[in-house]
Amino acid sequence: MRWWDIEPVIALEKDLFPEDAWSRGMFWSELAHARGPSATRYYTVAECGGRLVGYAGLAASGDQGDVQTIAVARDHWGTGLGSRLLTELLRAATAFECAEVMLECRVDNVRAQKLYERFGFEPIGLRRGYYQPGNVDALVMRRTAAPGGDLAAAPESGLTAAPESGPGAGTASLTSPNDAQGTETHG
């Protein structure tokens, strides 16, 4: 994700999360921590036909990663894009040398919970009233690294987690993690 992606990200954010959408400033702040030798964030976007159709972000601190956000445009639901974005975040967590990845998921978002469970995330707790202003609880989930420290490996097989199959699978492309963004001090 680059600074010029913020406007289309905000539009998608407001469509998908109208009650608790992140602000422009929140994304700017996250991107400010995604560059340089002391980077602690990783953000990526997915595009299809020149249109931003998904994004995802990870924060790393010590040996723990935290999925900050994953979003997929409604017309790309069921295409495997959510799986591809999550796989990319888990690869980034491995690069950050995280031993585990945590996330919060709305208790009423069963679609996302099923995705996370397929990737080996397990429920470990509940945060009451986490999502505001709707006062919706969050399910806290965790995934620990496979032997050898690889979080991108599938939980039981040791293979890289594969995206879902289905209509349109593979039509959106993720931006390259090697693409430069911003300056040394700003996303």
Side-chain angles (χ1 to χ4, degrees):
M1 184 183 297
R2 299 178 181 154
W3 65 267
W4 54 80
D5 293 317
I6 291 178
E7 289 309 314
V9 163
I10 291 291
L12 188 53
E13 179 86 0
K14 287 180 180 177
D15 176 52
L16 296 172
F17 313 111
E19 287 187 359
D20 49 10
W22 282 21
S23 69
R24 190 172 284 103
M26 290 171 77
F27 281 105
W28 273 105
S29 177
E30 289 296 293
L31 289 182
H33 297 283
R35 293 277 303 153
S38 59
T40 59
R41 304 292 193 276
Y42 177 81
Y43 278 76
T44 190
V45 298
E47 296 178 337
C48 183
R51 178 178 144 237
L52 189 139
V53 294
Y55 58 90
L58 175 91
S61 178
D63 67 350
Q64 183 176 314
D66 200 1
V67 173
Q68 300 291 84
T69 186
I70 294 183
V72 173
R74 295 175 197 277
D75 62 337
H76 279 73
W77 287 2
T79 66
L81 182 55
S83 292
R84 291 174 64 199
L85 288 165
L86 183 54
T87 297
E88 186 65 23
L89 293 185
L90 293 174
R91 285 184 184 133
T94 298
F96 278 122
E97 299 181 355
C98 296
E100 67 180 7
V101 175
M102 308 282 289
L103 61 83
E104 290 87 15
C105 180
R106 291 175 63 108
V107 294
D108 58 358
N109 191 344
V110 176
R111 176 185 209 82
Q113 289 172 35
K114 287 181 179 182
L115 169 67
Y116 300 137
E117 287 170 357
R118 280 198 323 269
F119 275 74
F121 283 86
E122 297 177 343
I124 61 167
L126 200 63
R127 291 195 173 138
R128 302 265 180 221
Y130 183 80
Y131 293 99
Q132 294 297 327
N135 201 36
V136 177
D137 296 343
L139 179 64
V140 180
M141 302 181 83
R142 176 179 57 206
R143 165 135 184 225
T144 55
D150 187 1
L151 280 157
E156 295 175 9
S157 69
L159 301 174
T160 301
E164 301 171 13
S165 59
T171 57
S173 64
L174 300 178
T175 59
S176 169
N178 297 323
D179 288 343
Q181 79 180 27
T183 66
E184 286 300 310
T185 57
H186 293 87

